[in-house]
Amino acid sequence: MRIDWWTLALQTVNVLILIWLLARFFFRPIMDIVAKRQEATNKLLADAGQARQEAADVRREAEKARAEIAAGQEKLIAEARSAAQIERQNLFAQSSKDIAKFSSEAKAAIAGDRAAAEQAIIDDASEVSIEIARRLLARFPNRDILRVFVEEICRELSALSSEARESLITATAAGHAIEVLTAALLPDEEMKQVGAALKDAFGYELAFTFRCDPAIIAGIELYGQNVAIRNSWRANLERIREELTRDRHVTP
């Protein structure tokens, strides 16, 4: 087999020219296009990465803001609950005070009404007892009733303390007569008898003036300077009323 070196050389030159032409007009533009597309792709990837990073940052900020909002909501809810609890406690305390105040006022009002009612009963009973006493006394001679009271007041007069006796003696010496009070005006004879009995009981010459007051109902009362001796139904009824009033206040 014979080799045609000229033909081989020409073919080699053709191949080299073809390669040069391809490299010059085909591969280089393609490489440029590929490079540009690679660059564009890299840029797109970089932009995508930046966008992804920005999205991640935005997501983190959103999560942070959501967490802050949630924390703020929880704080507001806790503050609202605390304020509601305090307000409830204040309302309960105020209600308790109001209830205690109303209860105290109601008890005071009830106690006042009861005291007024009891006092009214005592007053009515006193009036009734006075009227009963008047009607009973009307059935007995005034002289016999007066004698009993005179005997009792004579005992009280003789038992006076030294200070009271000195006061009566001094008043008599100064011209101040002792007032003798009876339910009805006594006849002159009875005035003398009563005066004599009082002087004998006291043991000293005393001066008396007689006056009547139906309000004492029955009995006799003596009034001198700084000295008062009362032995009458009025005085007894007043003492009984005072005892009833005192017992009513002491009794729970």
Side-chain angles (χ1 to χ4, degrees):
M1 178 179 173
R2 190 175 65 86
I3 298 174
D4 188 356
W5 294 100
W6 287 104
T7 302
L8 182 60
L10 289 173
Q11 290 178 351
T12 300
V13 172
N14 290 333
V15 170
L16 292 174
I17 292 171
L18 179 61
I19 291 172
W20 180 82
L21 290 174
L22 290 173
R24 178 68 177 176
F25 299 102
F26 181 74
F27 289 113
R28 183 176 293 177
I30 290 175
M31 292 299 293
D32 292 338
I33 292 172
V34 171
K36 289 179 180 180
R37 289 188 176 181
Q38 183 65 37
E39 184 180 356
T41 300
N42 293 334
K43 184 178 180 181
L44 289 174
L45 291 174
D47 292 341
Q50 185 178 359
R52 189 165 49 251
Q53 183 64 34
E54 291 177 355
D57 294 340
V58 171
R59 186 167 54 253
R60 283 195 298 270
E61 291 294 332
E63 292 177 354
K64 181 179 179 182
R66 186 164 52 249
E68 291 177 354
I69 292 173
Q73 289 177 345
E74 292 179 357
K75 182 179 179 182
L76 290 175
I77 292 172
E79 291 177 353
R81 288 177 178 174
S82 178
Q85 181 67 21
I86 293 174
E87 184 65 20
R88 184 163 57 250
Q89 292 176 354
N90 292 336
L91 289 175
F92 180 77
Q94 186 63 37
S95 299
S96 299
K97 291 181 180 179
D98 292 340
I99 292 172
K101 180 181 178 181
F102 293 152
S103 177
S104 177
E105 292 176 353
K107 290 180 180 179
I110 293 172
D113 293 341
R114 183 174 62 186
E118 291 177 354
Q119 187 62 43
I121 292 173
I122 292 174
D123 294 339
D124 291 341
S126 299
E127 296 297 329
V128 171
S129 63
I130 291 173
E131 184 61 27
I132 292 173
R134 291 183 189 278
R135 296 189 181 187
L136 289 174
L137 288 174
R139 301 180 181 181
F140 298 96
N142 183 57
R143 180 178 299 177
D144 296 338
I145 297 173
L146 181 62
R147 184 172 58 252
V148 175
F149 284 101
V150 170
E151 292 176 356
E152 180 64 27
I153 205 167
C154 285
R155 284 192 290 269
E156 294 184 23
L157 188 61
S158 62
L160 283 177
S161 64
S162 58
E163 290 83 4
R165 294 177 62 85
E166 184 65 26
S167 176
L168 291 177
I169 293 172
T170 302
T172 300
H176 299 290
I178 299 172
E179 185 181 49
V180 180
L181 193 64
T182 57
L185 186 62
L186 300 179
D188 293 340
E189 185 64 26
E190 288 188 17
M191 287 184 187
K192 293 179 182 179
Q193 293 175 0
V194 171
L198 295 175
K199 291 177 183 178
D200 292 341
F202 189 74
Y204 186 84
E205 187 68 23
L206 298 174
F208 298 103
T209 59
F210 288 84
R211 188 171 63 86
C212 69
D213 183 4
I216 71 172
I217 305 173
I220 185 171
E221 297 180 358
L222 303 181
Y223 294 95
Q225 280 191 331
N226 304 321
V227 177
I229 305 174
R230 305 175 66 196
N231 185 20
S232 64
W233 279 24
R234 177 177 66 177
N236 293 333
L237 290 173
E238 289 177 355
R239 282 193 292 269
I240 292 171
R241 179 183 295 183
E242 291 176 357
E243 291 174 357
L244 290 174
T245 303
R246 184 173 58 253
D247 293 341
R248 177 170 54 82
H249 288 304
V250 171
T251 303

